[in-house]
Amino acid sequence: MKIKDIIEVLEEMAPLAYAEDFDNVGLLVGDSQSETTGVLVCHDALENVIEEAITKNCNLVVCFHPILFSGIKKITGKNYVERAILKALKNDIAIYAVHTALDNHSQGVNKIFCDALGLTNTKVLIPKLNFIQKLVTYTTPDNSEKVRNAFFEAGAGTIGNYDNCSFNTEGFFTFQGNEESNPVIGERGKLHTGTEIKTEVIFEKHLQSKILKALFSNHIYEEVAYEIYTLENSHQNIGLGMIGELSLEMDEKEFLTFVKDKMIADGIRHSAFLGKKIKKVAVLGGSGSYAIKNAIEAGADVFLTADLKYHQFYEAENKLLLADIGHFESERYTKNYIVDYLRKKILNFAIILSEENTNPVKYL
């Protein structure tokens, strides 16, 4: 099995199109055509993790955080990023990062966070914008079902818990082909009229080329009329953060103690207690200060995230409890999820969970 075959499975788990524009995800180091000897899954692809991969005969390291995040002009080993890359290159080890591609997935980082706390009735906190497109096309009644089914097979027509969704209307058409035309129906040089079916389907934007291939492969016309629009609708099943509910409400201190235990946090910084019960919980793994207002608007009793600055605790505005449980801690079970996913998809192949703790933050 080649590295590219593993990558295909990883992109089923966390499509790269789900990632934020600022992010750097996918294959960061290495040759996708290389044969895979083993896969090591970690949180951060640091030098000690690359060493672990060498020891365990793994030539693919799958990490959550990208070791290469911003531009780099030299690789001389002067810092931890360059040392990790150098060691990987010298030992023919590939590095693949998922990061916000998995952050935005409905079963990704924040669902993992919610599941660790036993939250139910979960939904995305900040649905992704400008991610849904609509295709409209026109064909004969005899051809419309074939085209529509091809769209569904290509991934179009999914809305929440429903698939095979489309809207179809019957209309009246006219056309006249010139001397160079080769019409499937009618004759060149003569005005032709008839009945067509207008079909509309929506799809996630990264599927556009696949949807168009399905259209052109199954449509009968010489010239296929179609339109594609980007919709302003947010995607309710893709986005950052998540909100859910506890089965039983808790006191604030009791709840934070519960979180500390479940997320194995050495310390939790929080805003002032408000003397209210905790039932509705918003989470955002990693740095999530930008989502404080979203958590308030969603009616959360508490917002769990990380990397909050001093003044950002004021933004709780006495409307909810704000808690910083630690960056690593809020994402700690992500690598376990990746390992479990790969082991289910790739049988009889070494998928290894890294034993290295890459959390750079320590508590006294």
Side-chain angles (χ1 to χ4, degrees), residues 106-328:
S106 61
Q107 299 300 312
V109 175
N110 295 294
K111 183 62 164 61
I112 297 165
F113 196 165
C114 288
D115 288 347
L117 299 177
L119 302 184
T120 59
N121 302 322
T122 56
K123 63 180 182 179
V124 173
L125 182 63
I126 310 175
K128 198 167 183 62
L129 299 174
N130 303 316
F131 200 73
I132 303 174
Q133 293 185 328
K134 176 191 279 190
L135 182 143
V136 180
T137 192
Y138 314 80
T139 190
T140 62
D142 290 343
N143 183 227
S144 63
E145 184 176 0
K146 182 180 180 182
V147 170
R148 187 167 54 247
N149 288 337
F151 286 153
F152 298 153
E153 289 176 12
T158 297
I159 304 175
N161 294 323
Y162 299 85
D163 55 26
N164 290 7
C165 302
S166 67
F167 188 76
N168 306 271
T169 51
E170 185 176 292
F172 178 76
F173 75 90
T174 66
F175 71 79
Q176 180 173 317
N178 62 26
E179 294 181 357
E180 302 298 323
S181 67
N182 185 29
V184 175
I185 55 177
E187 300 178 35
R188 71 165 62 98
K190 292 184 179 182
L191 181 66
H192 185 73
T193 62
T195 300
E196 279 186 331
I197 302 297
K198 175 184 179 182
T199 296
E200 305 175 51
V201 291
I202 65 168
F203 56 92
E204 295 176 5
K205 68 178 183 179
H206 66 285
L207 296 174
Q208 185 182 120
S209 61
K210 192 175 180 181
I211 302 300
L212 288 176
K213 182 178 179 181
L215 172 63
F216 296 135
S217 298
N218 292 276
H219 205 292
I220 62 171
Y221 286 174
E222 179 184 24
E223 297 291 346
V224 180
Y226 70 95
E227 306 147 34
I228 291 179
Y229 309 96
T230 296
L231 305 182
E232 293 188 6
N233 306 52
S234 59
H235 197 308
Q236 298 300 315
N237 291 327
I238 299 174
L240 294 167
M242 196 159 275
I243 188 164
E245 297 179 346
L246 292 166
S247 56
L248 296 173
E249 62 183 17
M250 299 184 187
D251 293 329
E252 293 162 308
K253 187 174 181 180
E254 176 191 10
F255 174 73
L256 291 186
T257 301
F258 166 78
V259 172
K260 186 176 180 181
D261 176 61
K262 291 294 183 181
M263 304 307 292
I264 317 177
D266 288 324
I268 295 180
R269 299 186 303 139
H270 62 86
S271 59
F273 287 147
L274 303 175
K276 58 189 275 188
K277 297 288 186 179
I278 301 296
K279 176 71 172 179
K280 202 169 185 179
V281 181
V283 306
L284 199 157
S287 302
S289 60
Y290 57 87
I292 295 172
K293 289 182 179 179
N294 300 89
I296 293 172
E297 290 171 0
D301 300 313
V302 62
F303 178 41
L304 305 176
T305 188
D307 300 340
L308 297 177
K309 296 180 180 179
Y310 175 87
H311 291 94
Q312 289 168 338
F313 282 95
Y314 289 126
E315 295 178 25
E317 295 282 4
N318 293 323
K319 295 178 180 177
L320 86 175
L321 177 63
L322 191 56
D324 183 334
I325 74 166
H327 194 122
F328 178 89

Side-chain angles (χ1 to χ4, degrees), residues 15 36 53 55 62 165 363-364:
T36 314
T55 302
V62 177
C165 302
Y363 297 86
L364 184 62

Side-chain angles (χ1 to χ4, degrees), residues 1-7 9 34-41 56-62 339-353:
M1 179 174 284
K2 293 185 177 181
I3 287 174
K4 70 179 183 66
D5 299 316
I6 308 292
I7 288 175
V9 178
S34 298
E35 290 292 332
T36 314
T37 60
V39 181
L40 181 71
V41 180
K56 295 178 178 177
N57 194 33
C58 296
N59 67 341
L60 174 60
V61 171
V62 177
V339 166
D340 290 343
Y341 186 92
L342 290 177
R343 285 176 177 170
K344 289 175 184 176
K345 295 288 184 176
I346 305 171
L347 305 178
N348 302 319
F349 196 82
I351 311 293
I352 299 172
L353 179 66

